[in-house]
Amino acid sequence: MADHLDLHTVGDLLHHYPRRYAERGELTRLSDLPLDEHVTVVAQVADAWVHTFNGGRGRRLEVTITDGSGRLQLVFFGKGVHKPRSELQPGTRAMFAGKVSVFNRKRQLAHPEFKTLGAESGAEAVEAFAHQLLPLYPACKQMESWQIQQAIDTVLGPAGHEEAALAGLIDPLPDSLREGRGLATLPEALRKIHRPATKTDIALARDRLKWDEAFVLQVALARRRRADAQLPAAPRKPVPDGLLTAFDARLPFTLTEGQRRVSEEIFADLATDHPMHRLLQGEVGSGKTMVALRAMLGVVDAGGQAAMLAPTEVLAQQHHRSITEMMGELAEGGMLGGAEQGTKVVLLTGSMGAAARRQALLDLVTGEAGIVIGTHALIEDKVQFHDLGLVVVDEQHRFGVEQRDALRSKGKQPPHLLVMTATPIPRTVAMTVFGDLETSVLDQLPAGRSPIASHVVPAKDKPHFLTRAWERVREEVAAGHQGYVVCPRIGDDAGDEGDASKGAASPSPEDEAEKRPPLAVVEVAEQLTKGPLSDLRVEVLHGRMQPEAKDDVMRRFAAGEVDVLVATTVIEVGVNVPNATAMVIMDADRFGVSQLHQLRGRVGRGSAAGLCLLVTDMPEASPARARLGAVAATLDGFELSRIDLEQRREGDVLGQAQSGVRSSLRVLAVIDDEEVIAAAREEAAAIVADDPELTGYPELRTALDALLDKEREEYLDKG
């Protein structure tokens, strides 16, 4: 149990809640058995026979069961024959659980789990038996649901005496909070979740247990926020008529109202003497980079340096190019032709030549470079800053907490931190995962951004739709525009970088049925150059190319020398080519919802309308097609992130770096329980403000220590 289900103590066991409840009266009748589904049936053994085969070496037990509505065959093989042979005698009544399959045109359960039932007699006993709610626990091969139930029954003791067995439990909720919110006591909640008499019992228990999880987690985050607020930081106030003023004066457009509002929030944070911790969420193309650049320029004005951390070299180079272009001569401080208030903007990546790298490191340590943009190469020990004042992390979900922490430790005192993401995060996830960061949202697109039309292309059902898709790409190119074709894979090796299945939900039954490897960049590019796009300039881009080759392709694509770029998801974040208007995503069902939304944001970045075609072989009624339909139906990233979260396990969305948070959520669902999370956050903030050390709440402290074991404590410290 310890190894497979991570249950080590009695407390762990009591907090291992049922996933759902079966009602015996509502168990599946044998006449209604669905194929390929896990079912539980209550029935009586009609007969049982052992058959031998392979000259008597092999043995097979066949048991026929009936419940009055129909008959069903159970089969057991090999060593698995002994227990059922002795226990399943004709006339025995039992509960059987397994997956329904078909053999010789008859439905059967192979090796079902079973539990014999006592010979209840009398209508009342049968009625009680039929309507008892049976808890079904998250189980594993080594430990079946009813074995877990037996263990819990042992702990709880006889019915009616549970409160005594649960008397010594540590209750994290302060009495005043519990009574004020009308919540059950902890012993009552645990009794009702494991031994409910009615469905109301289950609801009461879950309401209480959700509060425990939400509240303890929010107290941890509130204490983290408070500790951050105590840290010293150098206030960074931009000087009047400095670099920021000069930059704003040369902007060819006005900032959106959202950009102005978020900038004000950031500058207010930067002016304080404790470190800013802010999460900036914004749709693809909402102008986050502009907001971040203005913050960096403000910090340079105030005598500090700013570092921007990007997840890939392609993105770091892209940011460096677009930032130096936006700044013009302001990015050439100290150089001939550079502006008087200018500063140096340097790039630092792992693949730079030794001389360029040495110069970049020198510019950083002397303070000559006010802004540095780089990949995780920025984190290496030998990188020293003159006075690091602000760290901007782009696409946070791709960075481990340790990496953020390593960069922050390079300041003389903690630098301010701005975390940016284009993956819209529902408010509750932000409160749960990034609860120690203040949140700013950019929700309007800058003027001049065009709408993107999205359509699903069912290539298998309607091949002529795919033909038309390639015609549309040719039409866009003929009109002077460019396009992307995105594939889940690079080439021969299915496990390579760019395999979208890593970012997507787990393979669906249709995927399993397909058994076709995902389409690959190299093969698709070849087919297109020989076929439907034969006279166009087609190039490939993927993560296994040399950095110089990648940069060369991107530069030529940006310059309009390439018509169609066939790429993996390396283009997912940050690639900005306003002239690219069409995107065809091959095997779109193999990508996650958020990933598709990110990719789509690469088109429609200029004045011409964007087009995104989602190509799939999935059948019309499949969940994968429904998911693609949802992406095609809305451009609202927040709406899509909700859909994404509802369709996947929350753990995938909460991410690996938040493993401590994820494994602690048992009954709390971050999407459905928005009200509980928001209320718990308020209560937690009030308690921590009143009693930061929780001296008056010893039980809450104990619960907190259990949640924040060593690893999670470190995670929150670094957050």
Side-chain angles (χ1 to χ4, degrees):
M1 224 178 349
D3 294 346
H4 297 284
L5 293 169
D6 198 22
L7 304 177
H8 304 271
T9 65
V10 168
D12 291 343
L13 186 62
L14 287 171
H15 290 290
H16 187 71
Y17 309 129
R19 185 177 24 226
R20 58 192 178 87
Y21 299 84
E23 282 185 88
R24 288 187 174 130
E26 291 176 14
L27 298 177
T28 315
R29 286 154 49 90
L30 294 185
S31 55
D32 303 333
L33 286 180
L35 257 185
D36 279 340
E37 283 191 25
H38 288 276
V39 297
T40 303
V41 296
V42 171
Q44 197 160 12
V45 177
D47 56 47
W49 299 96
V50 174
H51 301 269
T52 56
F53 53 94
N54 277 358
R57 289 196 302 278
R59 315 179 69 190
R60 181 173 83 245
L61 171 66
E62 290 184 3
V63 179
T64 307
I65 58 172
T66 175
D67 66 352
S69 73
R71 293 166 80 81
L72 177 68
Q73 192 165 55
L74 318 175
V75 286
F76 301 88
F77 295 96
K79 291 182 180 148
V81 163
H82 305 304
K83 182 172 181 273
R85 186 183 181 189
S86 64
E87 294 188 18
L88 297 178
Q89 298 296 323
T92 306
R93 193 168 155 75
M95 177 162 76
F96 303 92
K99 191 174 181 181
V100 184
S101 56
V102 168
F103 181 70
N104 277 347
R105 289 195 243 173
K106 282 189 180 167
R107 296 185 183 215
Q108 69 168 29
L109 297 182
H111 281 280
E113 294 301 326
F114 66 89
K115 185 182 181 187
T116 55
L117 303 167
E120 280 91 352
S121 54
E124 278 176 32
V126 172
E127 190 67 15
F129 173 81
H131 288 100
Q132 185 189 345
L133 290 161
L134 300 175
L136 298 176
Y137 291 89
C140 62
K141 214 170 173 179
Q142 292 77 5
M143 194 76 183
E144 285 300 332
S145 173
W146 38 67
Q147 292 170 293
I148 296 169
Q149 188 185 350
Q150 281 169 347
I152 288 172
D153 279 345
T154 307
V155 173
L156 292 177
H161 297 278
E162 297 92 349
E163 307 283 331
L166 300 171
L169 282 176
I170 287 167
D171 188 339
L173 288 196
D175 288 345
S176 55
L177 187 160
R178 185 179 56 71
E179 287 158 12
R181 298 265 171 190
L183 298 167
T185 64
L186 189 55
E188 185 190 356
L190 289 171
R191 174 174 62 77
K192 286 182 171 172
I193 200 123
H194 292 298
R195 290 180 174 171
T198 62
K199 288 182 177 167
T200 311
D201 280 359
I202 300 168
L204 283 170
R206 290 178 72 86
D207 284 351
R208 158 64 213 240
L209 297 168
K210 279 176 185 178
W211 256 93
D212 285 14
E213 286 178 13
F215 178 68
V216 175
L217 182 58
Q218 291 300 337
V219 167
L221 292 166
R223 294 184 74 212
R224 180 73 254 134
R225 284 195 301 276
R226 191 178 182 285
D228 285 340
Q230 312 296 313
L231 287 174
R236 309 282 178 174
K237 293 181 184 169
V239 294
D241 300 324
L243 185 53
L244 180 60
T245 312
F247 174 75
D248 283 347
R250 52 170 289 136
L251 277 182
F253 52 80
T254 54
L255 298 175
T256 66
E257 191 190 326
Q259 285 174 316
R260 277 200 298 275
R261 183 192 73 245
V262 171
S263 286
E264 280 166 19
E265 290 170 354
I266 290 170
F267 283 122
D269 283 358
L270 291 172
T272 63
D273 53 11
H274 56 83
M276 165 171 81
H277 285 99
R278 191 166 281 281
L279 172 70
L280 173 56
Q281 295 190 60
E283 283 286 11
V284 173
S286 57
K288 292 184 302 299
T289 310
M290 172 61 69
V291 169
L293 175 56
R294 293 186 73 248
M296 293 197 288
L297 295 174
V299 168
V300 174
D301 263 351
Q305 290 169 295
M308 182 184 249
L309 197 54
T312 63
E313 291 210 353
V314 167
L315 189 51
Q317 287 160 342
Q318 182 89 29
H319 274 319
H320 182 252
R321 197 176 307 125
S322 62
I323 282 173
T324 46
E325 279 168 12
M326 282 195 271
M327 287 175 64
E329 73 271 15
L330 296 174
E332 297 162 3
M335 291 185 254
L336 279 174
E340 194 187 331
Q341 315 97 312
T343 188
K344 238 183 185 180
V345 178
V346 300
L347 176 69
L348 190 63
T349 63
S351 64
M352 283 169 76
R357 190 177 172 77
R358 244 193 327 272
Q359 184 59 53
L361 291 172
L362 187 65
D363 287 343
L364 283 181
V365 77
T366 58
E368 187 83 9
I371 293 176
V372 58
I373 295 152
T375 55
H376 51 267
L378 276 177
I379 296 166
E380 291 170 15
D381 291 343
K382 55 173 93 81
V383 180
Q384 300 293 321
F385 289 85
H386 176 64
D387 180 13
L388 180 60
L390 170 67
V391 174
V392 178
V393 179
D394 193 19
E395 288 307 321
Q396 141 65 24
H397 63 288
R398 291 161 179 256
F399 275 102
V401 169
E402 291 78 10
Q403 292 166 304
R404 251 163 58 186
D405 191 48
L407 190 54
R408 272 177 27 190
S409 68
K410 291 186 177 290
K412 289 174 182 162
Q413 41 185 237
H416 298 279
L417 175 71
L418 179 65
V419 171
M420 300 199 297
T421 177
T423 306
I425 304 167
R427 176 169 162 259
T428 42
V429 180
M431 281 195 288
T432 308
V433 179
F434 300 107
D436 54 337
L437 300 176
E438 298 299 324
T439 305
S440 296
V441 178
L442 272 177
D443 45 14
Q444 51 181 152
L445 292 183
R449 291 299 303 262
S450 302
I452 305 169
S454 307
H455 304 282
V456 178
V457 177
K460 209 167 188 175
D461 305 351
K462 299 177 179 170
H464 60 286
F465 274 39
L466 185 58
T467 310
R468 176 70 189 126
W470 300 127
E471 284 173 9
R472 282 294 290 112
V473 172
R474 298 176 66 87
E475 286 165 15
E476 289 298 311
V477 172
H481 299 303
Q482 294 157 279
Y484 299 97
V485 176
V486 182
C487 304
R489 208 161 54 88
I490 297 172
D492 336 310
D493 171 9
D496 55 27
E497 170 272 336
D499 187 339
S501 56
K502 290 177 192 165
S506 54
S508 64
E510 297 93 32
D511 281 3
E512 293 298 319
E514 286 280 318
K515 289 290 185 277
R516 166 173 74 64
L519 291 170
V521 166
V522 182
E523 295 148 22
V524 168
E526 194 180 336
Q527 289 161 9
L528 292 176
T529 45
K530 289 180 179 168
L533 306 183
S534 55
D535 52 341
L536 302 185
R537 297 168 298 176
V538 177
E539 295 264 0
V540 300
L541 178 72
H542 57 71
R544 279 212 301 252
M545 289 163 61
Q546 288 300 315
E548 308 80 63
K550 277 194 284 201
D551 206 34
D552 178 55
V553 170
M554 271 317 303
R555 209 186 340 263
R556 287 188 294 115
F557 185 65
E561 294 162 22
V562 174
D563 297 320
V564 177
L565 192 60
V566 184
T568 57
T569 55
V570 291
I571 62 150
E572 179 184 349
V573 283
V575 173
N576 183 23
V577 180
N579 191 45
T581 54
M583 175 175 286
V584 180
I585 302 180
M586 307 303 290
D587 277 343
D589 48 273
R590 303 197 189 224
F591 296 85
V593 170
S594 296
Q595 215 174 9
L596 290 170
H597 182 59
Q598 285 275 9
L599 287 165
R600 169 171 64 185
R602 300 296 121 218
V603 296
R605 299 179 76 86
S607 52
L611 172 70
C612 178
L613 302 173
L614 306 168
V615 179
T616 178
D617 280 354
M618 287 292 134
E620 195 164 357
S622 63
R625 276 283 283 279
R627 201 168 67 234
L628 295 180
V631 174
T634 177
L635 291 172
D636 181 342
F638 287 92
E639 176 57 30
L640 286 174
S641 69
R642 285 188 82 96
I643 293 168
D644 201 14
L645 202 48
E646 281 158 9
Q647 290 190 339
R648 294 158 56 178
R649 289 192 350 273
E650 277 162 2
D652 299 337
V653 182
L654 301 190
Q656 284 306 301
Q658 283 77 28
S659 61
V661 172
R662 182 176 70 194
S663 57
S664 67
L665 298 186
R666 298 171 195 269
V667 279
L668 194 70
V670 287
I671 278 289
D672 301 335
D673 297 322
E674 185 163 345
E675 287 173 18
V676 176
I677 293 169
R681 185 180 164 107
E682 270 177 45
E683 295 274 12
I687 280 180
V688 170
D690 186 46
D691 181 357
E693 295 307 311
L694 305 178
T695 353
Y697 303 97
E699 295 192 317
L700 175 55
R701 271 234 63 128
T702 310
L704 208 52
D705 293 342
L707 171 73
L708 304 180
D709 55 28
K710 189 82 185 81
E711 174 198 353
R712 297 176 199 163
E713 185 72 87
E714 280 172 12
Y715 154 63
L716 282 172
D717 273 346
K718 289 174 181 168

